[in-house]
PDB file of all heavy atoms in Angstrom:
ATOM      1  N   TRP A  99     -42.440  43.143 -53.146  1.00 99.00           N
ATOM      2  CA  TRP A  99     -42.933  41.901 -52.533  1.00 99.00           C
ATOM      3  C   TRP A  99     -41.710  41.054 -52.061  1.00 99.00           C
ATOM      4  O   TRP A  99     -41.610  40.684 -50.872  1.00 99.00           O
ATOM      5  CB  TRP A  99     -43.776  41.089 -53.510  1.00 99.00           C
ATOM      6  CG  TRP A  99     -44.048  39.734 -53.072  1.00 99.00           C
ATOM      7  CD1 TRP A  99     -43.429  38.611 -53.463  1.00 99.00           C
ATOM      8  CD2 TRP A  99     -45.148  39.260 -52.234  1.00 99.00           C
ATOM      9  NE1 TRP A  99     -44.008  37.458 -52.854  1.00 99.00           N
ATOM     10  CE2 TRP A  99     -45.026  37.838 -52.104  1.00 99.00           C
ATOM     11  CE3 TRP A  99     -46.148  39.965 -51.531  1.00 99.00           C
ATOM     12  CZ2 TRP A  99     -45.915  37.127 -51.305  1.00 99.00           C
ATOM     13  CZ3 TRP A  99     -47.044  39.231 -50.748  1.00 99.00           C
ATOM     14  CH2 TRP A  99     -46.917  37.780 -50.628  1.00 99.00           C
ATOM     15  N   ASP A 100     -40.787  40.890 -52.971  1.00 98.00           N
ATOM     16  CA  ASP A 100     -39.656  40.002 -52.808  1.00 98.00           C
ATOM     17  C   ASP A 100     -38.734  40.529 -51.738  1.00 98.00           C
ATOM     18  O   ASP A 100     -38.300  39.792 -50.810  1.00 98.00           O
ATOM     19  CB  ASP A 100     -38.898  39.940 -54.128  1.00 98.00           C
ATOM     20  CG  ASP A 100     -37.819  38.922 -54.159  1.00 98.00           C
ATOM     21  OD1 ASP A 100     -38.171  37.704 -53.826  1.00 98.00           O
ATOM     22  OD2 ASP A 100     -36.719  39.195 -54.458  1.00 98.00           O
ATOM     23  N   ALA A 101     -38.482  41.816 -51.728  1.00 98.00           N
ATOM     24  CA  ALA A 101     -37.534  42.456 -50.691  1.00 98.00           C
ATOM     25  C   ALA A 101     -38.122  42.237 -49.280  1.00 98.00           C
ATOM     26  O   ALA A 101     -37.354  41.858 -48.415  1.00 98.00           O
ATOM     27  CB  ALA A 101     -37.362  43.952 -50.991  1.00 98.00           C
ATOM     28  N   VAL A 102     -39.399  42.423 -49.131  1.00 99.00           N
ATOM     29  CA  VAL A 102     -39.965  42.378 -47.725  1.00 99.00           C
ATOM     30  C   VAL A 102     -40.038  40.838 -47.326  1.00 99.00           C
ATOM     31  O   VAL A 102     -39.682  40.574 -46.203  1.00 99.00           O
ATOM     32  CB  VAL A 102     -41.391  43.031 -47.720  1.00 99.00           C
ATOM     33  CG1 VAL A 102     -42.072  42.709 -46.393  1.00 99.00           C
ATOM     34  CG2 VAL A 102     -41.164  44.524 -47.885  1.00 99.00           C
ATOM     35  N   ILE A 103     -40.444  40.017 -48.157  1.00 99.00           N
ATOM     36  CA  ILE A 103     -40.545  38.587 -47.813  1.00 99.00           C
ATOM     37  C   ILE A 103     -39.138  38.060 -47.474  1.00 99.00           C
ATOM     38  O   ILE A 103     -38.941  37.354 -46.471  1.00 99.00           O
ATOM     39  CB  ILE A 103     -41.226  37.710 -48.888  1.00 99.00           C
ATOM     40  CG1 ILE A 103     -42.575  38.226 -49.219  1.00 99.00           C
ATOM     41  CG2 ILE A 103     -41.154  36.215 -48.534  1.00 99.00           C
ATOM     42  CD1 ILE A 103     -43.669  38.010 -48.172  1.00 99.00           C
ATOM     43  N   LYS A 104     -38.210  38.384 -48.269  1.00 98.00           N
ATOM     44  CA  LYS A 104     -36.789  37.921 -48.057  1.00 98.00           C
ATOM     45  C   LYS A 104     -36.245  38.488 -46.791  1.00 98.00           C
ATOM     46  O   LYS A 104     -35.512  37.806 -45.959  1.00 98.00           O
ATOM     47  CB  LYS A 104     -35.875  38.286 -49.202  1.00 98.00           C
ATOM     48  CG  LYS A 104     -36.150  37.377 -50.432  1.00 98.00           C
ATOM     49  CD  LYS A 104     -34.850  37.100 -51.161  1.00 98.00           C
ATOM     50  CE  LYS A 104     -35.060  36.118 -52.357  1.00 98.00           C
ATOM     51  NZ  LYS A 104     -35.357  36.800 -53.566  1.00 98.00           N
ATOM     52  N   THR A 105     -36.460  39.773 -46.508  1.00 98.00           N
ATOM     53  CA  THR A 105     -35.840  40.389 -45.263  1.00 98.00           C
ATOM     54  C   THR A 105     -36.556  40.012 -44.042  1.00 98.00           C
ATOM     55  O   THR A 105     -35.942  39.743 -43.020  1.00 98.00           O
ATOM     56  CB  THR A 105     -35.809  41.941 -45.449  1.00 98.00           C
ATOM     57  OG1 THR A 105     -35.156  42.251 -46.693  1.00 98.00           O
ATOM     58  CG2 THR A 105     -35.050  42.600 -44.289  1.00 98.00           C
ATOM     59  N   ASP A 106     -37.873  40.003 -44.093  1.00 99.00           N
ATOM     60  CA  ASP A 106     -38.678  39.850 -42.803  1.00 99.00           C
ATOM     61  C   ASP A 106     -38.966  38.331 -42.545  1.00 99.00           C
ATOM     62  O   ASP A 106     -39.186  37.969 -41.339  1.00 99.00           O
ATOM     63  CB  ASP A 106     -39.995  40.580 -42.955  1.00 99.00           C
ATOM     64  CG  ASP A 106     -39.775  42.052 -43.060  1.00 99.00           C
ATOM     65  OD1 ASP A 106     -38.823  42.471 -43.647  1.00 99.00           O
ATOM     66  OD2 ASP A 106     -40.619  42.816 -42.541  1.00 99.00           O
ATOM     67  N   LEU A 107     -38.982  37.487 -43.576  1.00 99.00           N
ATOM     68  CA  LEU A 107     -39.307  36.040 -43.289  1.00 99.00           C
ATOM     69  C   LEU A 107     -38.179  35.111 -43.576  1.00 99.00           C
ATOM     70  O   LEU A 107     -37.821  34.360 -42.723  1.00 99.00           O
ATOM     71  CB  LEU A 107     -40.597  35.686 -44.137  1.00 99.00           C
ATOM     72  CG  LEU A 107     -41.097  34.287 -43.939  1.00 99.00           C
ATOM     73  CD1 LEU A 107     -41.432  34.033 -42.467  1.00 99.00           C
ATOM     74  CD2 LEU A 107     -42.322  33.961 -44.777  1.00 99.00           C
ATOM     75  N   TYR A 108     -37.590  35.213 -44.793  1.00 99.00           N
ATOM     76  CA  TYR A 108     -36.527  34.268 -45.095  1.00 99.00           C
ATOM     77  C   TYR A 108     -35.373  34.424 -44.072  1.00 99.00           C
ATOM     78  O   TYR A 108     -34.655  33.466 -43.708  1.00 99.00           O
ATOM     79  CB  TYR A 108     -35.930  34.548 -46.462  1.00 99.00           C
ATOM     80  CG  TYR A 108     -36.710  33.808 -47.625  1.00 99.00           C
ATOM     81  CD1 TYR A 108     -38.053  33.824 -47.702  1.00 99.00           C
ATOM     82  CD2 TYR A 108     -36.024  33.193 -48.659  1.00 99.00           C
ATOM     83  CE1 TYR A 108     -38.764  33.182 -48.731  1.00 99.00           C
ATOM     84  CE2 TYR A 108     -36.607  32.566 -49.739  1.00 99.00           C
ATOM     85  CZ  TYR A 108     -37.986  32.545 -49.738  1.00 99.00           C
ATOM     86  OH  TYR A 108     -38.683  31.955 -50.745  1.00 99.00           O
ATOM     87  N   SER A 109     -35.192  35.652 -43.669  1.00 99.00           N
ATOM     88  CA  SER A 109     -34.094  35.964 -42.667  1.00 99.00           C
ATOM     89  C   SER A 109     -34.251  35.009 -41.439  1.00 99.00           C
ATOM     90  O   SER A 109     -33.197  34.627 -40.833  1.00 99.00           O
ATOM     91  CB  SER A 109     -34.105  37.411 -42.252  1.00 99.00           C
ATOM     92  OG  SER A 109     -35.395  37.690 -41.608  1.00 99.00           O
ATOM     93  N   MET A 110     -35.473  34.758 -41.030  1.00 99.00           N
ATOM     94  CA  MET A 110     -35.647  33.946 -39.776  1.00 99.00           C
ATOM     95  C   MET A 110     -35.104  32.545 -40.023  1.00 99.00           C
ATOM     96  O   MET A 110     -34.520  31.891 -39.182  1.00 99.00           O
ATOM     97  CB  MET A 110     -37.159  33.935 -39.455  1.00 99.00           C
ATOM     98  CG  MET A 110     -37.671  35.284 -39.052  1.00 99.00           C
ATOM     99  SD  MET A 110     -39.229  35.269 -38.284  1.00 99.00           S
ATOM    100  CE  MET A 110     -39.364  37.001 -37.891  1.00 99.00           C
ATOM    101  N   PHE A 111     -35.394  31.995 -41.251  1.00 99.00           N
ATOM    102  CA  PHE A 111     -34.841  30.666 -41.592  1.00 99.00           C
ATOM    103  C   PHE A 111     -33.267  30.798 -41.710  1.00 99.00           C
ATOM    104  O   PHE A 111     -32.525  30.010 -41.093  1.00 99.00           O
ATOM    105  CB  PHE A 111     -35.329  30.214 -42.946  1.00 99.00           C
ATOM    106  CG  PHE A 111     -34.752  28.943 -43.508  1.00 99.00           C
ATOM    107  CD1 PHE A 111     -35.323  27.738 -43.211  1.00 99.00           C
ATOM    108  CD2 PHE A 111     -33.645  28.981 -44.270  1.00 99.00           C
ATOM    109  CE1 PHE A 111     -34.758  26.531 -43.611  1.00 99.00           C
ATOM    110  CE2 PHE A 111     -33.041  27.793 -44.776  1.00 99.00           C
ATOM    111  CZ  PHE A 111     -33.648  26.556 -44.416  1.00 99.00           C
ATOM    112  N   ASN A 112     -32.823  31.806 -42.412  1.00 98.00           N
ATOM    113  CA  ASN A 112     -31.368  31.946 -42.728  1.00 98.00           C
ATOM    114  C   ASN A 112     -30.502  32.015 -41.467  1.00 98.00           C
ATOM    115  O   ASN A 112     -29.450  31.472 -41.439  1.00 98.00           O
ATOM    116  CB  ASN A 112     -31.142  33.233 -43.577  1.00 98.00           C
ATOM    117  CG  ASN A 112     -31.826  33.193 -44.911  1.00 98.00           C
ATOM    118  OD1 ASN A 112     -32.188  32.091 -45.386  1.00 98.00           O
ATOM    119  ND2 ASN A 112     -31.990  34.343 -45.543  1.00 98.00           N
TER     120      ASN A 112
END
Side-chain angles (χ1 to χ4, degrees):
W99 169 264
D100 191 53
V102 172
I103 301 291
K104 286 216 174 92
T105 306
D106 297 34
L107 183 58
Y108 275 45
S109 61
M110 296 193 174
F111 176 90
N112 298 341

